[in-house]
Amino acid sequence: MLKWLVEELTWAEKVENKVIIIGHIPTGRSDCLKAFSWNYYRIIDRFEATVVGQYMGHTHQDHFALQYSEESDHHPTSFQFISPSTTTFSDLRPSIRLYTLDGDRKKSTYRPLKSETYLLDLNRANDKNETVWELEYDSMSAYNLTWLTPDTMDQLYRRFKGDRDFFYKTYWQYKFHMQPDRPCDDSCYHYNLCEMITGRSGDPTICKNLSLKEQEKHFQLNKMC
C-alpha cells in the first residue's frame, strides 16, 4: 500500500498536482501499526509540498495531529484533521464536518480555509422526527484562523500550550461536543497537547513529560473505538 502511495505521490509531484489523503485511523494512535505509521510519516515528510490535506476519522472525537520534518529545523510538514462522527455514541451527539478549500482557480493550493462542525439536534430528532443540524463552531471564528496550514496549526498548538484557559474553552469543549462537566486535570491537559503533535505511533521522543505508558493510559481512558 505504501509503495503504491509513493508511486502516486511521485507522479503527482512530477505533474504538479496536489493530493488530498482520506483515511480512517490517524497514524499517531497506538492502534495504528508502528511500522506503517513511521514509514507513512517519512513519506509525508518527503512529499510535504504535494500533500495538502489529510482527513481521518475513527476516534469519534474532534481533534488534530501535527507532523514535523525529520530535518534539523523540525518544521511542521502536515497535519491530520480527525473529525467527529455521525455515528451515535454514548455522551456524543452525531456530528458532521464541512471543509472549505482553496479551489476552483488556476494554481489553487487546495488547502483548507475553514472547517465547520455541526451537531444533530437529538431532541427534535426524537420528539418531532426532524433532522436539524446546528453549527457548533467554525475554525475561523473559534481560533481566528483564515488558513488551515501546517504553520497555522502549529501556531494554534503553541497557543493551547501557552494558554490553558483558551484550551479549556475551545478545544476541550469541542472535542467532546460541549460537555462542561467533563474533567481534564493536569495529566489530561498534557496528554491532549501531546496528542496534537503525535503524528506517528510509539514514538517516545515526541512528548518528553509523558511516557508511552502514560500516553496509553489516557488513550484507553478516552478512546471510543
Side-chain angles (χ1 to χ4, degrees):
M1 179 179 178
L2 291 181
K3 179 178 180 292
W4 168 84
L5 178 61
V6 170
E7 290 171 351
E8 292 296 306
L9 292 175
T10 300
W11 172 83
E13 180 182 64
K14 183 178 180 179
V15 299
E16 299 184 348
N17 277 357
K18 299 302 181 184
V19 173
I20 292 172
I21 295 175
I22 299 175
H24 183 72
I25 299 179
T27 57
R29 290 171 60 88
S30 61
D31 50 358
C32 181
L33 294 175
K34 183 176 179 179
F36 177 94
S37 173
W38 283 56
N39 284 314
Y40 178 85
Y41 197 96
R42 294 187 182 101
I43 293 169
I44 297 299
D45 189 1
R46 162 63 181 81
F47 292 99
E48 64 171 301
T50 300
V51 177
V52 296
Q54 297 181 72
Y55 301 88
M56 306 295 180
H58 184 63
T59 71
H60 297 259
Q61 299 167 14
D62 183 348
H63 49 130
F64 66 88
L66 281 150
Q67 294 168 283
Y68 294 88
S69 173
E70 295 182 315
E71 297 175 1
S72 58
D73 67 350
H74 198 56
H75 67 275
T77 57
S78 189
F79 69 96
Q80 297 177 358
F81 276 114
I82 306 167
S83 300
S85 173
T86 54
T87 307
T88 53
F89 216 92
S90 300
D91 301 322
L92 289 179
R93 292 166 62 184
S95 58
I96 57 174
R97 168 72 60 74
L98 300 181
Y99 297 98
T100 301
L101 304 184
D102 172 39
D104 280 340
R105 64 180 181 83
K106 191 175 182 179
K107 296 295 183 181
S108 170
T109 68
Y110 292 99
R111 290 193 180 276
L113 301 173
K114 181 174 72 170
S115 70
E116 299 168 282
T117 303
Y118 291 83
L119 303 180
L120 180 66
D121 186 332
L122 287 174
N123 290 329
R124 293 180 68 170
N126 292 327
D127 297 342
K128 300 182 180 181
N129 196 29
E130 296 178 354
T131 302
V132 178
W133 295 96
E134 302 172 324
L135 178 66
E136 181 187 23
Y137 79 99
D138 72 80
S139 59
M140 191 176 294
S141 300
Y143 299 132
N144 195 30
L145 297 176
T146 55
W147 280 85
L148 300 172
T149 67
D151 284 332
T152 61
M153 295 303 288
D154 177 65
Q155 291 166 17
L156 181 61
Y157 157 71
R158 295 179 188 281
R159 184 176 179 187
F160 288 140
K161 189 176 181 181
D163 188 342
R164 189 176 297 202
D165 286 341
F166 180 64
F167 164 84
Y168 286 135
K169 291 175 181 177
T170 56
Y171 185 87
W172 182 245
Q173 296 297 316
Y174 301 146
K175 186 174 184 180
F176 296 102
H177 307 326
M178 296 294 186
Q179 297 180 38
D181 58 340
R182 193 180 185 97
C184 186
D185 57 15
D186 279 355
S187 180
C188 161
Y189 171 66
H190 289 297
Y191 169 74
N192 276 273
L193 291 177
C194 172
E195 188 179 55
M196 293 177 199
I197 58 172
T198 301
R200 61 185 176 194
S201 64
D203 187 347
T205 68
I206 294 177
C207 304
K208 298 296 187 351
N209 57 347
L210 278 179
S211 67
L212 289 178
K213 184 176 181 180
E214 290 174 304
Q215 292 177 42
E216 183 63 19
K217 177 182 175 182
H218 281 282
F219 169 76
Q220 294 296 335
L221 182 65
N222 290 300
K223 77 172 186 175
M224 299 292 176
C225 63

